[in-house]
Amino acid sequence: MGIVSAIGMDVETTLDSLVSSRTGLGQIRLLDTRLKEKLIAGEIQHTDEELLQMAGIDKIPGMSRAALLGMIAAKQAVQSAGFIPDNKLRTGMISGTTAESMTSIEKYLPDFLSNDSRNEFIDSQDWGFSTEIIAGILGINGFMTTINTACSSASNAIMLGARMIRQGRLDRAIAGGTDALSKVMLNGFHSLMIVDPEPCKPFDDKRNGLNIGEGAAFLVLESEQVADKEKIMAEMKGYGNANDAYHLTALSPDGSGAALSMKNALESCGMKPGRVSYINAHGTGTLNNDLSEAMGIEKIFGKKPPLFSSTKPFTGHTLGSSGALEAVISVLVLQHNMVFPNLNFSEPMREVAITPEASLVKNVEIQHVMSNSLGFGGNNTSLIFSKVE
Amino acid sequence: MIYINGTASISPQPTFEKQGFLEEITEYTTNCLQCIEPDYENFLSPIGLRRMSRVLKMGWGAAKSCLENTSLSTPGAIVTGTGRGCYLETQKFIFSMYENDETLLSPTPFIHSSHGSIAAQIAMMTGCRDYNMTYTHRGFSFESALTDAIMLLNEGHFQSVLAGGVDEIGKNKFLSFDRIGHWKKPDTGNLKLLEYDSAGTIAGEGSTFFLLQNSSSQYTYALLKSVHTFSNPSDTRAIIKQAEWFLSQQGLEVSDIDLVLLGLNGDRQFDAVYYELMATVFSISGQAYYKHLCGEYHTSTAFALWLAANILSLQQVPPIIRLNNRKAKTINHILIYNHYRDVNHSFILASSKKYTNPII
């Protein structure tokens, strides 16, 4: 697996930040936006030029920040899995993104319409552009696609990868997502008045909204026949998707939408709720999400649910890629028997009985982890990762 | 066995809720074909009409019509493919950011800008709370949706999947791609599309949906047999190998294909491969094309599949799409082959509902 975000440019640094409660939220320094005076974000403090160096590739015409972030994370994943893409095994690439190359589009759209100075970026207006660049560099020529279901995009990408392997359509899938910080996303969420100018407080009664972040993460999923037993980090046990069908930007307040995806994930692997040891919640810090998700958790797991926390106070909400970042974090939980804290939590919500873990929990036996991603348009996905026996 | 039990298409031709199949053809002189849209009043409340963006209306209109002609009002799952998604709304938002210097922005275009909104809107209108997915990967967008739909039906959780391909041409995106030579001149005649021997094609758009089920019904058009995608093939031989492999998975050879429906788009550079295949491996099949009717866009193969479903159901090939005179007595198998700018290549195989070969 591979991961880049405001809390680290690889798996090791990410783990260290999580264990040390070191947040990546802070001042916006690189993105040229008026909102940098007002808002904080999980911005990766590397310029595009630095990211290009880190990706270890030559500049490609029209390459966007999202493609660069995805490239770095995907390369890490492939290196850690220790394979070289070839034609012997069917390898696919599936990526989830909300904003794609928005950082280029928002800068150069006026040029696209009036002059030839930015022609190399015109193609980046197509979603799937980053996926194709990354797949091309990695040498992957098999099935490839891109998903945009807002905040559940990368989780859905991982779910599709697993299903394709199960159905025998692929031997291996590089699945995850990428999203770079853009003015459009910052302004968009800000116009909806759901952004907290302070660090977010998921599941806190006094929560005030989300913080946007950026990042990319990829998992290498392989069938049992193909996987190198020494390198297996976790098993993809179950997955579930459902649509809230309530509102284009809000979840049903009774939590039924969130509950559906969790229920579907458990049913997909015949798992009883009591066997889940930890839930990595979507927990954005908005009034709507956290209430809906908490009620959903209570519906499925009762008033004494497994340990749960949102790690978005670390990374910010990285939108379409968030499900992939949190999948990597879920695997770290399994590997290290730790539950990472839900930072900034102090006051329990009035409407529910459950509270997240506010501090790091060590030495806890974790067998199965559920990771939730609940998106705009009510697209909800839950993934279940398990320790390998 | 996967059955196409419903289909509807909003396209630049009079294809929507019409008696007969392509009995009227619309001729254009333009490099940008726009849809002949229905009166959305028949599909939406006054609030819906006011609030929904054009692409959301196109998506809902075709989805609703597709379901209307079957006995199903709520599908089991919804999967869509869209190359451009709701990009027009994103652009509106970007321009308002410039105009207002990032202050006091209306969230409405932002709310409608997520590609997943098309499928989400359909979920809300049909009350479908289950599986919902949106693929957006250029010339693979619709094929990804179909692949997922086939997988869902094979997995056995759902008895029905509503699958669609939706794309709206936007003026700005059209202009920007004009800048890098995607389109022909503005006075291009669509029915003469293959006569120009020049670069560029004509832009198009459409919204086409299918109700896929794992049992037949009185509404069955055809069978959806298989879908396959591949990228950047090295040469025509590589494409032929892919075609032979794809068909062999269904127990078929190229000679079993009664009609190949090809994504020729009039661009001299990109059409060369189709002509090579027509002269060689597809030379004994009936040959047809479709982009003169709908234009070039990422999910044009949804329109092609709509054509194929109707051809198989009615057992007639509209003369306007024919490229040669080979006429099969019975049309059992139609192979759709398309590529988007020689990057995204795909095959879709559809067969007559009477052809239920027990081997596969």
Side-chain angles (χ1 to χ4, degrees), chain A residues 38 166 317 324-325 342 372:
Chain A
K38 274 175 109 168
R166 281 233 172 115
H317 185 4
L325 269 70
N342 190 117
N372 288 341

Side-chain angles (χ1 to χ4, degrees), chain B residues 44-66:
Chain B
L44 292 165
S45 66
I47 297 177
L49 278 173
R50 243 192 354 259
R51 281 195 188 158
M52 278 166 69
S53 61
R54 181 174 178 260
V55 73
L56 292 187
K57 286 181 198 159
M58 281 166 65
W60 173 235
K64 177 102 186 357
S65 178
C66 173

Side-chain angles (χ1 to χ4, degrees), chain B residues 120-273:
Chain B
Q121 185 72 51
I122 296 169
M124 281 195 283
M125 305 290 269
T126 56
C128 175
R129 300 195 84 193
D130 229 308
Y131 190 88
N132 189 293
M133 207 54 59
T134 299
Y135 294 96
T136 173
H137 191 113
R138 295 213 250 228
F140 286 158
S141 305
F142 177 62
E143 285 79 348
S144 303
L146 274 191
T147 302
D148 194 357
I150 293 172
M151 285 171 60
L152 288 172
L153 289 166
N154 286 340
E155 282 162 347
H157 299 304
F158 302 106
Q159 268 67 63
S160 65
V161 180
L162 183 65
V166 185
D167 268 310
E168 174 187 33
I169 184 73
K171 179 168 149 237
N172 290 335
K173 192 153 189 192
F174 175 83
L175 287 175
S176 59
F177 283 98
D178 196 28
R179 190 170 288 288
I180 54 173
H182 279 217
W183 316 127
K184 288 207 185 304
K185 298 197 189 99
D187 60 351
T188 304
N190 67 321
L191 298 184
K192 299 196 184 77
L193 186 61
L194 301 186
E195 294 172 29
Y196 289 97
D197 189 29
S198 62
T201 180
I202 53 177
E205 59 176 12
S207 172
T208 308
F209 275 83
F210 303 88
L211 180 66
L212 303 172
Q213 292 178 288
N214 45 24
S215 56
S216 67
S217 77
Q218 58 186 268
Y219 308 111
T220 299
Y221 282 74
L223 300 172
L224 174 64
K225 299 294 291 194
S226 191
V227 182
H228 177 56
T229 59
F230 56 106
S231 309
N232 301 307
S234 45
D235 52 31
T236 316
R237 262 231 296 236
I239 299 170
I240 294 173
K241 274 181 93 172
Q242 292 272 3
E244 288 168 346
W245 171 85
F246 172 67
L247 293 172
S248 72
Q249 300 294 297
Q250 301 298 316
L252 296 172
E253 294 178 359
V254 184
S255 54
D256 295 314
I257 300 303
D258 302 296
L259 184 74
V260 282
L261 188 46
L262 299 165
L264 286 140
N265 70 3
D267 188 319
R268 179 176 49 201
Q269 177 190 355
F270 296 120
D271 279 357
V273 67

Side-chain angles (χ1 to χ4, degrees), chain A residues 118-303:
Chain A
R118 304 291 180 189
N119 285 1
E120 71 178 90
F121 293 97
I122 286 177
D123 258 346
S124 70
Q125 292 175 98
D126 286 342
W127 264 243
F129 173 78
S130 296
T131 313
E132 284 186 358
I133 287 192
I134 298 168
I137 292 172
L138 291 177
I140 291 160
N141 219 17
F143 179 86
M144 75 176 82
T145 195
T146 307
I147 292 175
N148 181 355
T149 53
C151 315
S152 56
S153 302
S155 297
N156 284 330
I158 293 168
M159 181 170 73
L160 180 70
R163 286 169 61 221
M164 291 192 83
I165 291 170
R166 281 233 172 115
Q167 282 215 7
R169 288 171 175 264
L170 286 177
D171 301 304
R172 183 198 283 143
I174 298 171
T178 176
D179 258 308
L181 193 66
S182 66
K183 281 162 76 162
V184 164
M185 290 298 147
L186 267 177
N187 277 279
F189 282 91
H190 187 238
S191 72
L192 285 167
M193 300 198 288
I194 53 173
V195 182
D196 192 340
E198 301 293 313
C200 62
K201 304 194 258 287
F203 302 108
D204 190 291
D205 199 59
K206 299 280 183 292
R207 66 196 181 283
N208 203 17
L210 52 85
N211 315 116
I212 308 279
E214 61 181 351
F218 285 92
L219 304 179
V220 174
L221 305 172
E222 290 174 327
S223 68
E224 227 177 310
Q225 292 74 30
V226 157
D228 179 347
K229 303 280 178 283
E230 310 280 304
K231 294 211 150 90
I232 297 177
M233 295 175 182
E235 185 187 346
M236 254 241 77
K237 201 82 166 175
Y239 32 74
N241 174 271
N243 195 284
D244 216 0
Y246 175 75
H247 188 275
L248 279 183
T249 56
L251 294 168
S252 51
D254 68 353
S256 53
L260 264 170
S261 70
M262 290 189 262
K263 175 168 163 289
N264 287 346
L266 290 165
E267 277 175 7
S268 77
C269 53
M271 187 180 291
K272 290 203 163 64
R275 299 200 52 219
V276 174
S277 324
Y278 166 67
I279 303 173
N280 183 283
H282 188 59
T284 56
T286 64
L287 292 166
N288 177 251
N289 178 84
D290 294 2
L291 174 61
S292 193
E293 188 173 10
M295 295 195 69
I297 291 173
E298 278 193 344
K299 267 189 169 60
I300 301 295
F301 295 95
K303 303 254 188 238

